[in-house]
Amino acid sequence: MIAARLHAVGDLRVADEPPPGDPPAGWSLLAVTSVGICGSDLHWFTDGGIGENRIERPVVPGHEFAAVALTGPHAGRRVAVDPAIACRSCEMCRMGHENLCPTVRFAGHGTLDGAMQEHLVWPDHLLYPLPDDVSDDAGALLEPLGVALHAVAVSHLRPGADVLVVGAGPIGALTVQVARRQGAARVFVSEPLEHRRDTALRSGADAAFSDEHGADEVLEATGGRGVDVVLEVAGTDAAIATAVAASRPGGRIALAGIPSQDDSAFPAAVARRKGLTFAMVRRMNDTYPRAIAMAAGGVDLDLLVTERHPLSEAAKAFGSAAERRGDKVMVAVSASS
């Protein structure tokens, strides 16, 4: 079979590899159909890792993916795939927080091969059949939609709240859609790239501002009060500073962006005077059923797809995604059943 494997920073090689063996009990053999390139994938591609996690051996990237199940309880059906394999036995898992499992294994992260290969095996309980009206690309993008759902949940957004989304990449644009459906009164966006501001507006934002004066414009739009909730999905100190400046006193900031460095900084004096609450967003938690229902019920995932590349051009796809010319870059994996 064909697989794309990341060997070092910027060194993604496509080659023939042996197919996986027979799946163990409770696992299914999958034929991958579509894979999205995420910002965290780009950290591995451009930085060689995320935080303290570095490339230890050549790894197959890709954690946003859909497939056809070839064996197991869903054999013959298209499925979305939850990329996080939690232990299901630790304290966090038993409490219902599998996203916080300290030994969780994640597709394309560390030493666990991800989805940019024609076939792989995956646990049955992490496979979710797709409705006929949800495309393969949309099935892959249920993972970032799940992140958006979890981020909004962590933000404690209440109906009638004013919301600012900082960063309008694909997860930011999906966060706009989720916040709107959760009853936000107004949703503002701060984003430096014009084409992503346009996507945010098409996703339902009331207004989208450039980063340079984003906080000022949000304050002006809210009569100087600031927003109730900020969802930060950019992963930069500048984005956190915008979040602090645009928040009302007593506001809540959910940090979902992944920084390139181990540390983040924010204007502590202003945040303290405002009495702000910061909440960290760790991936997602049991969101696939809700994400599928939202995709079938009007959340437009295909809207985000601006490029598609075959698996043979995976390196080109990563290069294009790193340049951020569009929104979501997909890799179409030619896998037969």
Side-chain angles (χ1 to χ4, degrees), residues 170-285:
I171 292 177
L174 290 172
T175 300
V176 170
Q177 295 196 55
V178 173
R180 180 63 70 199
R181 282 162 176 77
Q182 291 290 102
R186 292 181 292 182
V187 181
F188 306 107
V189 168
S190 175
E191 164 59 48
L193 299 177
E194 182 178 5
H195 67 273
R196 290 189 167 177
R197 292 197 296 271
D198 290 341
T199 300
L201 292 171
R202 287 186 287 130
S203 297
D206 292 279
F209 308 121
S210 67
D211 272 2
E212 186 177 3
H213 302 294
D216 293 338
E217 291 173 301
V218 169
L219 291 171
E220 181 178 352
T222 58
R225 175 180 180 272
V227 295
D228 304 287
V229 169
V230 181
L231 294 132
E232 181 277 319
V233 287
T236 65
D237 290 351
I240 301 175
T242 295
V244 170
S247 292
R248 67 162 175 83
R252 187 173 176 92
I253 298 173
L255 299 176
I258 299 176
S260 296
Q261 307 300 322
D262 289 347
D263 299 323
S264 294
F266 65 95
V270 177
R272 177 179 54 80
R273 285 196 298 271
K274 288 186 175 183
L276 302 180
T277 298
F278 289 85
M280 304 304 298
V281 179
R282 171 66 167 168
R283 294 175 179 159
M284 59 182 174
N285 189 40

Side-chain angles (χ1 to χ4, degrees), residues 6 8-12 40-49 55 314-315 318-319 322:
L6 183 64
V9 172
D11 183 8
L12 186 70
S40 60
D41 293 318
L42 293 178
H43 281 298
W44 286 94
F45 182 75
T46 60
D47 303 328
I55 297 174
F318 265 84

Side-chain angles (χ1 to χ4, degrees), residues 83-124:
I85 306 176
C87 76
R88 307 179 81 189
S89 61
C90 70
E91 180 183 8
M92 288 294 99
C93 286
R94 294 196 308 272
M95 291 176 62
H97 303 301
E98 291 191 2
N99 62 314
L100 303 181
C101 173
T103 60
V104 65
R105 294 184 293 155
F106 197 74
H109 184 103
T111 61
L112 182 62
D113 286 340
M116 287 194 187
Q117 53 184 321
E118 290 183 312
H119 296 91
L120 80 165
V121 297
W122 211 254
D124 295 337

